[in-house]
Amino acid sequence: MSSESYEYDVHEYKRGFTRKRIDSIREVPLTIMLNGREVVTLLCTAKYPEYLAVGFLKSDAFVSSPAQITDLTVRDEGDRLVAEVETCHDPWKDRIMERSITSGCGKGTNFGRNVTTISKRKVGGDVRVTPDQILALARELHERSTLYKSTRGCHNSSLCTPGEMLLFREDIGRHNAIDMICGQCFLDDVAVDDKMIVSTGRIASEILLKVARIGIPVLASTAVATSFSVELARKIGITLIGNIRDDSFWVYNDNGRIIGF
């Protein structure tokens, strides 16, 4: 599974029908197995499957420390990938499985439990960012989005300092792109209290929960935020920015991190 997209012949209507060759983004099922038990099957591009699997498990509170993971392998079965994760603890103990279908069609195994747990926290971090830096990072995100430009079928997310884009990830779902970043920070022990995530796609509450659980203090998107994510950001102290355009953006919550606000 190496190609990021596949070519197809289609018919395009533009004042009449003509044949056109287009790129269609690859979609692959990734089944996450935890201690021999299936957790979820995500649909993804198959890029960085290890980080995606661990990021999902971290954001859904199956693991809390990299030291708990004793083995991690990804197996290519042709029509799907299978990520097998082994831990030294029992991630299923006292866990009541409630499966929610979120607004992005991602499967949250314990959405209510995550909201209750995260709502009791305060997200720290003294990162300070200027409006010009926010706009510049959003422009760079767009410039790096070559897969989106060729397929129109993916979302993009990045881990940044105010002055530099450190990681860029793209996938068919914004949930997956965020999970890949969170998984890499978690496994590689990346300090995040001075970082921010800049992303495409609507900021729904499940996206905010992923960012909050890993402890990143600033979340910015080119799209808008839902009411639940705004209320949650204000409650736990995440700086939340949305609707980024060429020269403007909305600040839903600041918490003293935007210079000049």
Side-chain angles (χ1 to χ4, degrees):
M1 294 185 178
S2 56
S3 176
E4 295 180 348
S5 62
Y6 297 98
E7 290 188 340
Y8 294 99
D9 288 322
V10 301
H11 286 84
E12 180 181 49
Y13 179 80
K14 189 183 294 184
R15 296 181 297 278
F17 287 100
T18 57
R19 289 182 66 84
K20 182 181 179 69
R21 195 157 185 82
I22 58 99
D23 288 323
S24 184
I25 193 167
R26 178 180 53 178
E27 182 179 36
V28 178
L30 170 67
T31 298
I32 301 174
M33 304 292 295
L34 181 59
N35 292 354
R37 181 173 172 181
E38 181 176 343
V39 178
V40 71
T41 295
L42 306 174
L43 298 174
C44 63
T45 60
K47 297 177 70 175
Y48 305 99
E50 296 92 347
Y51 290 137
L52 175 54
V54 171
F56 180 89
L57 294 176
K58 167 62 177 171
S59 69
D60 249 40
F62 282 98
V63 293
S64 59
S65 166
Q68 292 175 325
I69 299 175
T70 58
D71 192 42
L72 170 59
T73 59
V74 176
R75 186 173 68 254
D76 188 343
E77 295 191 344
D79 62 341
R80 70 176 51 235
L81 297 176
V82 177
E84 296 183 335
V85 183
E86 297 290 333
T87 68
C88 61
H89 74 302
D90 181 4
W92 305 100
K93 185 178 180 181
D94 301 324
R95 189 178 181 94
I96 299 173
M97 294 298 289
E98 356 170 296
R99 191 169 295 277
S100 303
I101 304 301
T102 66
S103 59
C105 300
K107 294 179 176 60
T109 56
N110 272 24
F111 180 76
R113 178 173 180 259
N114 282 338
V115 171
T116 300
T117 302
I118 295 297
S119 293
K120 298 175 182 177
R121 298 183 180 181
K122 284 291 184 181
V123 176
D126 57 359
V127 58
R128 299 270 284 161
V129 59
T130 68
D132 284 344
Q133 287 173 323
I134 294 168
L135 296 174
L137 289 169
R139 284 194 296 271
E140 183 174 351
L141 185 76
H142 177 70
E143 290 165 2
R144 290 198 186 194
S145 305
T146 55
L147 184 59
Y148 174 80
K149 291 171 185 175
S150 66
T151 66
R152 302 290 178 179
C154 71
H155 280 286
N156 311 288
S157 293
S158 58
L159 180 74
C160 313
T161 64
E164 183 182 7
M165 190 168 289
L166 306 174
L167 294 175
F168 173 83
R169 297 291 179 259
E170 52 195 350
D171 203 277
I172 57 174
R174 66 197 192 282
H175 303 72
N176 295 346
I178 296 280
D179 273 341
M180 282 189 277
I181 290 174
C182 292
Q184 186 164 355
C185 290
F186 181 67
L187 281 179
D188 296 349
D189 196 24
V190 176
V192 296
D193 59 352
D194 60 344
K195 305 296 192 305
M196 53 190 294
I197 279 185
V198 181
S199 180
T200 62
R202 181 183 64 255
I203 308 171
S205 55
E206 66 269 21
I207 296 297
L208 193 86
L209 286 168
K210 292 177 185 296
V211 174
R213 188 170 286 283
I214 203 72
I216 296 172
V218 180
L219 173 59
S221 178
T222 58
V224 298
T226 65
S227 61
F228 195 178
S229 62
V230 174
E231 295 299 327
L232 191 57
R234 292 177 177 180
K235 185 171 185 178
I236 66 178
I238 282 184
T239 298
L240 185 60
I241 299 159
N243 198 38
I244 304 175
R245 296 294 182 260
D246 291 340
D247 59 358
S248 66
F249 54 82
W250 294 348
V251 180
Y252 296 101
N253 190 53
D254 171 41
N255 265 65
R257 299 189 183 100
I258 302 175
I259 297 173
F261 182 77

